[in-house]
Amino acid sequence: MDKLEVTGGVPLAGRVRVSGAKNAALPLMAASILADGPLTLANVPRLGDLRTMGRLLRHMGGQADLHPPGPDGALAEEARLDLRSLTRPEAPHELVKTMRASALVLGPLLARHGQARVSLPGGCAIGVRPIDLHLKALALMGAEFDLTGGDVVGRAPAGGLRGAEIRFETVTVTGTENVMMAAVLARGRTVIANAAREPEVTDTALALQAMGARIAGLDTDELVIDGVDHLSGAAYRVMPDRIEAGTLLAAVALCGGRAVLLDAPCEEIAAARSKFAAAGVKLERAVVGGQEALTVESPGGRELKALDVVTSPHPGFPTDMQAQFMALATVARGVSLITETIFENRFMHVSELRRLGADIDLQGRTAVVKGVDRLRGAPLTASDLRASASLLLAALAAEGRSDLFRVYHLDRGYDRLDEKLNALGARIARVKDA
Ligand code: EPZ
């Protein structure tokens, strides 16, 4: 297992390109199950969760070629998927336990093959994270489920899934994606009310449309899907990762300096952008080389103002940016109130931030963070994906040396984040840990 040796106190400067979105590429890879032809994805980031999804699709008997070497020998940021040879409609425990998003194959398997066996995802560091809402919605479309040996075994009716009126009692991102992917091949019309509006849901819908699906209401909380008989293959470019962009923005805000984020999804991170701007970070949208770019300039975390944040479903402040914002709050001037409304245990980074000298008091779902004059380096242990990003950012702002252990949490969800930060002048050494 690797560790990162971080020397803090260095301002950041330069240019870095934002990679493709993990949380769009995951449903898009699952969508390949629906297609009667190959699905080629471009701008696919190189990270652990996508390699796991590739292993899962191959386990099913499909072809999933991730990041094939290009003519120059460099690994292409591409996925070539062809699931026509699928023989095993199942997602076994050893794969699902490492990535709960494997549940995203449930809807496509039921729609395309009429059956599915998916290991029930266990909880994870940030909460219980059940899929009861997914199952309830799919049952309204005629699917029947049994729980056998920790696996959800699902069957579609003989004539296939049928369209239904569905209302999610809680906004669920992968729940919306699962049902949307089931509905595109169902008989008749499906309406999903209280649908998630995350940009990654829209990206999945756009790819499905390119494959021949009929979906209306994109970017709204009501999706209307008219089932079709089959979907063809397609070529699709995955959207840029708004959470990686927000994480890089937070790094420059905290360390101080000036950087240009290339291919930054500015619109999709509007809520985070406005919070950082209100704290005193200078942000400017631009077009560089024909692509959206975001220029970030900051005097450093200690010169920024404390701010309150409450996470909420898109277009609100994203829960996936909460830990990174908290890293900034540890040194911003004043007291920040950070409230997490989506997950019941997404404050795993708090105890580790305190080891750097942060002053954080937890009061239920709200963290009261008082800015301190300085953070001092210390050994740190990552616990979940965004917590590890938060600890890395705080270590970059701390005086002296910090070692970040269990970096696999970071590598599951970021495409070489340490290399990107080093390209901006950070001093991070990746060391093979014993
Ligand atoms: C997606 O997870 C993202 N993952 C998460 O990103 C993100 O934090 C989350 O949405 C919220 O935006 C992917 O897209 C692969 P939810 P998801 O269903 O779909 C409860 C990251 O860091 N719920 O929107 O699993 C659930 O427990 C990851 O990249 C039920 O109770 O989240 C949670 O409290 C972390 N029953 C809330 O709803 C269900 O059936 C929102 O969860 C489903 C969800």
Side-chain angles (χ1 to χ4, degrees), residues 32 35-41 63 79-84 211 231-236:
S32 65
D36 283 347
L39 176 64
T40 303
L41 301 176
Q63 291 168 38
R80 294 185 199 140
L81 309 163
D82 188 340
L83 273 286
R84 284 176 290 184
M211 295 158 69
L231 293 181
S232 60
Y236 190 76

Side-chain angles (χ1 to χ4, degrees), residues 305-309 325 328-330 332-338 366-371:
K305 278 190 304 193
L307 282 177
D308 296 348
V309 157
F325 190 82
L328 177 62
T330 62
R333 291 174 185 280
V335 179
S336 302
L337 300 182
I338 298 176
T366 296
V368 181
V369 187
K370 291 191 184 73

Side-chain angles (χ1 to χ4, degrees), residues 254-269:
L254 197 51
C255 300
R258 185 180 188 283
V260 181
L261 307 187
L262 301 171
D263 203 9
C266 298
E267 208 41 56
E268 290 79 356
I269 53 169

Side-chain angles (χ1 to χ4, degrees), residues 22-23 100 129-133 172-174 320 342 386:
K22 164 179 84 82
N23 289 349
R100 58 182 313 287
R129 302 184 72 189
I131 57 168
D132 55 315
L133 300 179
T172 163
V173 174
T174 50
D320 292 349
I342 307 288
R386 306 304 174 182

Side-chain angles (χ1 to χ4, degrees), residues 326-394:
M326 190 182 292
L328 177 62
T330 62
V331 292
R333 291 174 185 280
V335 179
S336 302
L337 300 182
I338 298 176
T339 303
E340 172 58 57
T341 69
I342 307 288
F343 292 109
E344 66 268 23
N345 186 30
R346 203 169 198 175
F347 284 141
M348 306 289 282
H349 39 291
V350 169
S351 51
E352 292 299 301
L353 289 171
R354 285 180 180 139
R355 293 171 48 74
L356 295 169
D359 178 349
I360 306 172
D361 179 28
L362 283 184
Q363 295 173 8
R365 288 204 158 198
T366 296
V368 181
V369 187
K370 291 191 184 73
V372 294
D373 282 345
R374 64 179 53 77
L375 298 175
R376 287 195 179 80
L380 300 165
T381 304
S383 55
D384 68 84
L385 170 53
R386 306 304 174 182
S388 38
S390 166
L391 298 180
L392 179 55
L393 299 188

Side-chain angles (χ1 to χ4, degrees), residues 147-368:
L147 186 57
T148 314
D151 291 349
V152 173
V153 181
R155 277 202 176 289
L161 295 175
R162 51 179 185 271
E165 297 269 333
I166 290 158
R167 166 174 290 281
F168 279 117
E169 57 198 75
T170 308
V171 172
T172 163
V173 174
T174 50
T176 301
E177 291 162 348
N178 232 337
V179 170
M180 179 169 67
M181 290 192 284
V184 294
L185 289 182
R187 276 178 297 111
R189 172 168 284 193
T190 298
V191 177
I192 306 176
N194 200 25
R197 298 167 58 189
E198 270 65 8
E200 295 76 20
V201 175
T202 301
D203 215 35
T204 305
L206 289 168
L208 290 168
Q209 287 177 334
M211 295 158 69
R214 293 174 54 201
I215 308 172
L218 271 59
D219 284 327
T220 76
D221 63 358
E222 181 163 291
L223 293 171
V224 180
I225 302 115
D226 288 314
V228 294
D229 294 337
H230 78 99
L231 293 181
S232 60
Y236 190 76
R237 183 180 193 273
V238 176
M239 67 174 282
D241 192 315
R242 62 192 170 101
I243 305 302
E244 184 193 67
T247 306
L248 292 166
L249 189 168
V252 179
L254 197 51
C255 300
R258 185 180 188 283
V260 181
L261 307 187
L262 301 171
D263 203 9
C266 298
E267 208 41 56
E268 290 79 356
I269 53 169
R273 269 190 306 120
S274 62
K275 272 296 170 192
F276 281 100
V281 182
K282 233 175 110 208
L283 298 168
E284 213 172 310
R285 297 175 67 158
V287 175
V288 177
Q291 286 188 324
E292 271 228 274
L294 183 65
T295 303
V296 187
E297 196 164 348
S298 166
R302 278 199 294 280
E303 308 305 320
L304 298 178
K305 278 190 304 193
L307 282 177
D308 296 348
V309 157
V310 179
T311 64
S312 66
H314 194 78
F317 189 92
T319 172
D320 292 349
M321 276 298 297
Q322 179 257 106
Q324 298 92 311
F325 190 82
M326 190 182 292
L328 177 62
T330 62
V331 292
R333 291 174 185 280
V335 179
S336 302
L337 300 182
I338 298 176
T339 303
E340 172 58 57
T341 69
I342 307 288
F343 292 109
E344 66 268 23
N345 186 30
R346 203 169 198 175
F347 284 141
M348 306 289 282
H349 39 291
V350 169
S351 51
E352 292 299 301
L353 289 171
R354 285 180 180 139
R355 293 171 48 74
L356 295 169
D359 178 349
I360 306 172
D361 179 28
L362 283 184
Q363 295 173 8
R365 288 204 158 198
T366 296
V368 181

Side-chain angles (χ1 to χ4, degrees), residues 39-57:
L39 176 64
T40 303
L41 301 176
N43 199 34
V44 175
R46 290 162 54 183
L47 48 83
D49 273 4
L50 298 182
R51 286 191 287 273
T52 303
M53 182 61 88
R55 273 201 300 281
L56 174 54
L57 295 177

